[in-house]
Amino acid sequence: MAPRIVQISTGALICSFVLLPLWAVWRQADGPTSLGPADWSALRFTILQAALSALLSTLSAVPLARALARAQFWGRAAVIRLMGAPFILPVIVAILGLIAVFGQNGWLNTGLRSLGFGSFSIYGLQGVLLAHVFFNLPLATRMILLGWATIPQERLRLGQSLDLRGFARFRLIEFPMLMTILPSAAAVIFVICLSSFTVALALGGGPKSTTLELAIYQAFRFDFDFAKAALLGLVQLGLSASAAVFALGFAWGHQLGIGLDRPIALGRHSTLQKYLDGVVIGVALLFLGLPLLLVLGNGLGSITSLPAAVWMAALRSVLIALGATALCMLLSLSLLSRGGEAIATLSITVSPLVLGTGLFLIASPYVNPFEISLWVTLCVNALMSLPFAVRILRPEMSQVDANFCWLSASLGLSRLGWWRWVVWPRLRRPFGFAAGLTAALSMGDLGVIALFGDAERATLPLKLYQLMGSYRMEQAAGCASLLLILSFGFFWVFDFLGRRNA
């Protein structure tokens, strides 16, 4: 781990960057305020949809991750890489794909009506849950899959030699790993869904399906009520911080023991198990892949005719994504402890809308906020991805510390040698995954730049939003496809570099 002074300095920097904007917004309030009936309703709906989304995403990810861990087939590596695509998709692009499949005139309802059944409505709680499972199922699957990869091969062979099968092998070998991963994965998804804005705006279906983030947006946009927005932001901060404490408290220590870093092999399984694994993987690919194919099919042909302004916006997005990735990974290496993870989680506990408005208010007396909009976007994107990077890296780092710290000290390894020979070979795979996730999320971010950006500083997601707003749908489809390709390309490159020779 990083020296203690570096951990403390990084933690103080992040706390200041997260809390000062909230204080700046609160200062603009005319007076005290309180939550009304609509705000309490938004609070209840936010908790309900976040809890159900986390539960459905993690429970669905367990059989899928298990099937991917033990199935061997051509293209398996490509399937695992594709599993990350929905989570890194720009939200508005993915919603267009989901509506094409599950909307009133989508493929599902067309099929249901042709069979004489009623229609499925994508709007309301069910639509919000559907979209959140679509986005978070791949993340939970990859986290659980990484957990399966950490089970020592020697323990699996011991189970085979003891003739452990079925439920006995699951209870004694796989269940301890799941109890290490699932609470944290559910808590991370819960925190993500607490700040759901675009999904609730597009699929919420009315006041009964309003989230806290949407209520904050309405307080800024329609009521210009800074006090109400700051109070709702504090409520969201409290909720998300509680979820972080829950995650840290229930994330059990690693109890799987030490292995010899051999590749995992879960052993032979029956024909029925192979068939069930194939069904699970096939259904998941259909659910996750069809919306993406529809987005690409509608926009690939328009990419070459995109105007120069779109390509300049793409260049800005690429530079911001690379900078945000470098900053996020540098900060994450300083926070690979339980306290560091709690501090990192702070960055997504505050509403991005409150964060962006607060930074605007802080910067406005000194500089033109529009001139630093890209730098602010870079920093906020890095902070928004920091909890995911730390969550992905910390279990492996804790295992390395527990298993090799005393041995390295007895051998007299220097700090550089410790990182070169012990830490990096074991950390490079989750490091590549975390870097790819950060770059892709930064490519698709539309939060802060929507507040600061103008025509000369627009990023690719903002340009897409402007094209959709002006009803230039053919160019918007091409822009969406370009954004999808760049986001997935970044994720694939970093993930590949992390896994190569690991």
Side-chain angles (χ1 to χ4, degrees), residues 166-485:
F167 181 73
R169 190 174 75 168
F170 175 79
R171 182 174 65 86
L172 296 175
I173 297 179
E174 300 175 33
F175 186 71
M177 180 278 296
L178 290 175
M179 287 299 97
T180 303
I181 302 294
L182 286 184
S184 298
V188 168
I189 295 172
F190 180 79
V191 173
I192 294 172
C193 296
L194 281 180
S195 59
S196 178
F197 170 66
T198 308
V199 169
L201 182 66
L203 302 176
K208 292 183 179 178
S209 304
T210 298
T211 61
L212 280 177
E213 190 75 7
L214 195 53
I216 292 171
Y217 170 77
Q218 291 168 347
F220 275 131
R221 181 79 175 179
F222 303 116
D223 304 330
F224 210 65
D225 190 342
F226 283 91
K228 177 65 69 65
L231 180 59
L232 291 172
L234 283 175
V235 171
Q236 185 163 311
L237 173 63
L239 273 177
S240 302
S242 301
V245 171
F246 176 86
L248 293 174
F250 279 79
W252 296 1
H254 199 282
Q255 302 171 8
L256 303 179
I258 185 173
L260 298 178
D261 295 343
R262 293 171 177 164
I264 184 172
L266 292 180
R268 291 178 293 180
H269 48 286
S270 66
T271 303
L272 177 61
Q273 287 174 328
K274 291 180 181 178
Y275 173 76
L276 292 177
D277 288 346
V279 170
V280 169
I281 294 172
V283 171
L285 286 179
L286 187 64
F287 173 63
L288 299 173
L290 190 55
L292 306 185
L293 292 176
L294 291 176
V295 170
L296 286 174
N298 293 332
L300 273 180
S302 305
I303 289 182
T304 54
S305 60
L306 289 173
V310 174
W311 292 103
M312 287 302 300
L315 178 61
R316 293 188 199 99
S317 290
V318 167
L319 295 177
I320 288 174
L322 290 175
T325 302
L327 179 60
C328 177
M329 300 315 296
L330 185 64
L331 291 174
S332 66
L333 292 178
S334 304
L335 297 171
L336 298 182
S337 62
R338 181 171 292 233
E341 186 175 1
I343 292 174
T345 307
L346 268 180
S347 56
I348 60 169
T349 57
V350 177
S351 161
L353 296 177
V354 175
L355 193 62
T357 305
L359 290 173
F360 180 90
L361 294 172
I362 292 173
S364 57
Y366 309 103
V367 296
N368 182 356
F370 294 100
E371 294 180 355
I372 59 171
S373 59
L374 297 181
W375 289 103
V376 172
T377 302
L378 186 153
C379 294
V380 172
N381 287 350
L383 283 179
M384 290 296 114
S385 300
L386 189 58
F388 308 114
V390 173
R391 180 61 256 172
I392 292 168
L393 293 175
R394 197 173 81 81
E396 191 68 27
M397 189 67 202
S398 299
Q399 186 182 4
V400 171
D401 265 337
N403 293 334
F404 299 103
C405 183
W406 292 108
L407 176 62
S408 300
S410 66
L411 293 175
L413 278 180
S414 64
R415 182 167 293 277
L416 181 62
W418 159 255
W419 275 92
R420 170 68 180 83
W421 301 109
V422 180
V423 176
W424 181 245
R426 291 163 178 80
L427 208 63
R428 58 179 297 174
R429 183 169 51 184
F431 188 92
F433 176 55
L437 196 63
T438 303
L441 291 177
S442 180
M443 277 296 304
D445 178 70
L446 181 60
V448 177
I449 195 63
L451 293 174
F452 293 96
D454 53 17
E456 297 180 356
R457 301 173 181 84
T459 60
L460 194 55
L462 181 58
K463 183 61 69 177
L464 170 60
Y465 179 76
Q466 293 170 345
L467 290 172
M468 292 174 64
S470 58
Y471 297 101
R472 295 155 67 182
M473 300 310 294
E474 186 176 348
Q475 289 186 349
C479 187
S481 296
L482 177 62
L483 184 55
L484 178 63
I485 293 171

Side-chain angles (χ1 to χ4, degrees), residues 95-115 117-123 130 290-291 294 298:
I95 287 175
L96 289 177
L98 287 173
I99 290 176
V101 178
F102 300 99
Q104 188 63 29
N105 297 316
W107 289 25
L108 176 65
N109 280 322
T110 301
L112 289 176
R113 283 193 293 268
S114 66
L115 295 174
F117 296 103
S119 299
F120 168 79
S121 175
I122 197 174
Y123 300 103
L130 179 70
L290 190 55
L294 291 176
N298 293 332

